[in-house]
Amino acid sequence: FKNAENSKSLLSDLLKNHTVLSESISNHLVTAQTWMEELNALIGQIEQIERHLWYLKWISQIEELSDFEDVLKQLHWPFIGPPQSQTLTLLPAANAAELQNNLEALFTQLLKLQTSDELITKQKQLPEKYDIPPSLPIALPIQLMLLPLQMRFKYHFSGNRQTNVLNKPEWYLTQVLMWIVNHSKFLEEKIQPIIDKAGSFLDARLEFSRGLVMLVLEKMSDDIPRLLYDDSLFCHMVDEALLFEKELHSAHGYPSNLPGCMHILSEETCFQKWLTVERKFALEKMDSVLSSEAAWTSQYKDITDVDEMKAPDCAETFMTLLLVITDRYKSLPTAARKLRFLELQKELIDDFRIRLTQVMKEETRSPLGSRYCAILNAVNYIAAMLGDWADKVFFLQLQQASLDVCAERDTITELQLGQLASLESSVFDDMIDLLERLRHDMLARQVEYIFREVKDKAKPYKKERWLFLPSQSDQAVMCLSNSACPMLLTLRDRLLQLEQQLCYSLFKSFWQTLSEKLDLFIYQDIILANHFNEGGSTQLQFDMTRNLFPLFAHYCKRPENYFKQIKEACIVLNLNMGSALLLREMLQTPSNSDTVSNSKLPSATAALNEIGVFKLAPRDVEILLNLRTNWPNTGK
């Protein structure tokens, strides 16, 4: 109860204090009302004074602008005709000096002024769908110098003017390049020193070029929606824009990180259309080149030094097409866009490989024909070129970009990730593998075709009476076996034929593979299938070393190294009797255990190596010795 009474008393005191405070506040507001009215009046006066000062400031700046424009007119700016670097020197010395001083003073003052949208018409902002990189506003005096050219550009290339036509983008692109050329010398000699003297880091030529390029980008963004429905017009616009970009960067040093035509062409709708027309025209070009009469002939066939690859016209044209596509998309601003073009190139390569395969299948009945060989050269040439391209910096950068994309999407195995990161693979690996497989199959078909032909011609040679041939001492002069002539003539003719039709690397693979098969065939089907007297062994060695091996001597220094089984068999069959007896005795030494056998092997191997036998095993040599019939009467 006491606590309640205390609380009631405290509440009563608070109410009294509240009443006093409320009365005090009311009295203060009444007093302050006069001050508020006076303060509002002062604020109004300050705002009016600021407006007057702002107005006076712009009046002075407009006067400066007017003076600057007058100076430019006296300089006959802009230079519509050829470069007029002698503008000042054409005037009397006093006037020229005064004009230069005025130009420098006004340009410096304007350079210090902050650009205002109220002073200079704001540049047209391109839609957000065009991913234009941000850049600083163009310097105020350069903007003023650009004004008359901007007016001329819009006059000629907008509305219903005859110069504003969709099928002639080169008109406005060429005009802009001409303006850059015409004014470059004046900007370098007269304007740049003023900028440098003012302590600015601006590049007069670059600032001037930036302003003109923005006119081009605005024009392109206006025209593209109307070009999307006409492939020819769109493709022509892209061609001209790419030429413009190339000239701008190479001849005028325009940096690639500033807004350019490629940023307009990279917009998704426009970019997708670009990809579509590139694919369409590339496929049409492929159809045209493969159906031409010169598709399978080399344009350098009469120039040996140039025609090492012996690539047919269709393959060279196709690779040129891919190279042109690379040059066109190389300067795209983002790696993602470049990778989409790379995928297009891969599609075209695969399509061309399929077309080559289809034509090849029609020629399989004559694998030695000129067209079959031309297809093989084409496959080899494309694979080699892609291998070279894969090592170029541009495609290595795309490989890294592809690695980054795959890592982000988690669509790559750890093994593939490691291969890409260590540069063990390339962006064209899949295409190269398919081409190399096709090349291998085609070469194998040629080898098999000729091998069967040689085998057929070798039938009489297989039936040669090796047991009854006269010894060398009974012959005045050793000569080639008659039965070997058809086989060796066929082999010679086919080697000469393919040497002329295949490029060096292919022909090398061909004859090396063929020699390997011939070595095995002659060794197994002729040597091991017969017995030899002394005359037979000598004749075989003469046929092989003096006739077969020299056929391949044009292609390597030691052809016998590609016929090791034949060479070593001839050595064994032609050993003098003493050496043969010793060798046979060593090889036929009985072995009662594996230990004894193993201990004998090194000595047998050493003995074989001593007579020049390295490939054949001791058991093979023993078989060959048993094929000899000229042993003493004690037996074989």
Side-chain angles (χ1 to χ4, degrees), residues 198-292:
S200 175
F201 295 100
L202 291 177
D203 184 323
R205 277 188 63 193
L206 182 57
E207 290 291 288
F208 185 76
S209 299
R210 281 176 58 203
L212 293 179
V213 168
M214 286 307 298
L215 291 175
V216 170
L217 303 191
E218 293 170 13
K219 175 64 176 169
M220 286 180 64
S221 66
D222 288 339
D223 288 351
I224 281 177
R226 294 181 291 166
L227 295 170
L228 293 176
Y229 304 100
D230 190 311
D231 290 351
S232 296
L233 290 181
F234 182 85
C235 195
H236 179 59
M237 185 274 295
V238 171
D239 290 341
E240 294 299 328
L242 292 175
L243 290 173
F244 173 80
E245 281 273 303
K246 185 175 181 180
E247 179 75 11
L248 196 63
H249 293 301
S250 61
H252 303 291
Y254 190 81
S256 57
N257 61 336
L258 291 179
C261 298
M262 300 303 280
H263 294 95
I264 301 296
L265 297 178
S266 293
E267 187 272 324
E268 182 58 34
T269 304
C270 180
F271 184 76
Q272 189 57 50
K273 180 65 176 181
W274 185 8
L275 278 176
T276 302
V277 296
E278 286 285 355
R279 181 182 291 104
K280 174 187 174 183
F281 287 118
L283 292 174
E284 288 178 358
K285 182 66 174 177
M286 288 161 58
D287 289 337
S288 171
V289 71
L290 285 173
S291 60
S292 70

Side-chain angles (χ1 to χ4, degrees), residues 282-550:
L283 292 174
E284 288 178 358
K285 182 66 174 177
M286 288 161 58
D287 289 337
S288 171
V289 71
L290 285 173
S291 60
S292 70
E293 294 182 0
W296 306 109
T297 58
S298 172
Q299 55 183 317
Y300 307 114
K301 60 183 178 181
D302 298 326
I303 311 175
T304 307
D305 294 340
V306 179
D307 198 28
E308 289 184 1
M309 298 294 288
K310 295 186 178 178
D313 184 65
C314 64
E316 290 213 36
T317 304
F318 176 68
M319 293 310 294
T320 301
L321 173 66
L322 291 183
L323 185 62
V324 169
I325 291 176
T326 302
D327 288 339
R328 287 160 72 83
Y329 78 83
K330 185 178 286 187
S331 55
L332 279 167
T334 64
R337 290 287 188 257
K338 294 175 184 177
L339 287 173
R340 287 176 66 178
F341 257 103
L342 179 63
E343 288 304 314
L344 169 62
Q345 287 181 304
K346 289 183 178 181
E347 290 176 21
L348 295 175
I349 294 168
D350 199 46
D351 187 277
F352 196 74
R353 178 189 62 82
I354 292 171
R355 292 173 188 235
L356 290 178
T357 305
Q358 291 171 342
V359 180
M360 180 271 293
K361 289 179 178 178
E362 298 173 0
E363 302 293 327
T364 50
R365 292 184 179 179
S366 55
L368 306 184
S370 59
R371 178 170 290 193
Y372 188 94
C373 291
I375 297 169
L376 184 50
N377 285 328
V379 172
N380 181 71
Y381 173 73
I382 295 171
M385 291 295 291
L386 292 179
D388 290 342
W389 287 7
D391 294 330
K392 294 185 181 296
V393 174
F394 175 71
F395 288 107
L396 289 174
Q397 290 171 341
L398 286 188
Q399 179 182 346
Q400 182 60 44
S402 176
L403 173 64
D404 295 339
V405 171
C406 292
E408 289 176 5
R409 297 176 180 174
D410 197 22
T411 58
I412 190 170
T413 66
E414 291 185 6
L415 175 61
Q416 291 172 321
L417 188 65
Q419 289 175 338
L420 284 171
S422 62
L423 300 181
E424 290 180 6
S425 60
S426 72
V427 292
F428 294 115
D429 267 4
D430 294 341
M431 302 295 102
I432 293 174
D433 289 344
L434 290 171
L435 289 166
E436 288 182 344
R437 191 181 308 168
L438 176 59
R439 178 181 63 191
H440 177 270
D441 292 344
M442 293 182 71
L443 260 180
R445 186 174 287 110
Q446 286 187 324
V447 170
E448 189 60 33
Y449 183 89
I450 293 178
F451 179 63
R452 286 199 308 266
E453 195 173 13
V454 171
K455 278 179 64 177
D456 185 60
K457 300 293 183 181
K459 288 178 180 178
Y461 195 61
K462 289 173 63 176
K463 298 176 182 179
E464 184 67 60
R465 302 178 66 188
W466 302 104
L467 280 171
F468 306 103
L469 294 179
S471 64
Q472 184 175 1
S473 60
D474 296 334
Q475 299 183 58
V477 179
M478 287 290 292
C479 60
L480 176 66
S481 300
N482 290 334
S483 58
C485 289
M487 173 183 73
L488 296 180
L489 283 173
T490 299
L491 185 59
R492 182 201 65 181
D493 293 343
R494 293 312 189 192
L495 286 171
L496 290 174
Q497 178 183 353
L498 289 187
E499 183 184 17
Q500 294 175 353
Q501 293 183 331
L502 295 180
C503 72
Y504 173 76
S505 60
L506 285 174
F507 180 68
K508 182 179 179 181
S509 298
F510 162 78
W511 72 256
Q512 288 180 351
T513 307
L514 180 62
S515 64
E516 182 181 344
K517 292 178 73 69
L518 285 174
D519 183 39
L520 185 61
F521 164 68
I522 293 175
Y523 176 71
Q524 290 184 342
D525 289 36
I526 296 179
I527 297 175
L528 294 182
N530 288 283
H531 286 77
F532 300 84
N533 66 359
E534 183 182 349
S537 299
T538 306
Q539 186 64 50
L540 175 70
Q541 186 174 40
F542 181 83
D543 292 343
M544 298 296 104
T545 59
R546 301 292 296 277
N547 292 278
L548 174 63
F549 297 171

Side-chain angles (χ1 to χ4, degrees), residues 40-72:
N40 286 334
L42 290 173
I43 290 173
Q45 291 175 4
I46 291 171
E47 289 176 348
Q48 187 175 7
I49 292 171
E50 285 180 344
R51 286 197 297 271
H52 291 166
L53 290 174
W54 188 259
Y55 177 75
L56 292 173
K57 175 184 176 182
W58 287 119
I59 287 293
S60 65
Q61 292 179 357
I62 291 171
E63 289 176 352
E64 290 177 359
L65 295 181
S66 177
D67 293 340
F68 187 65
E69 290 176 350
D70 289 341
V71 171
L72 290 177

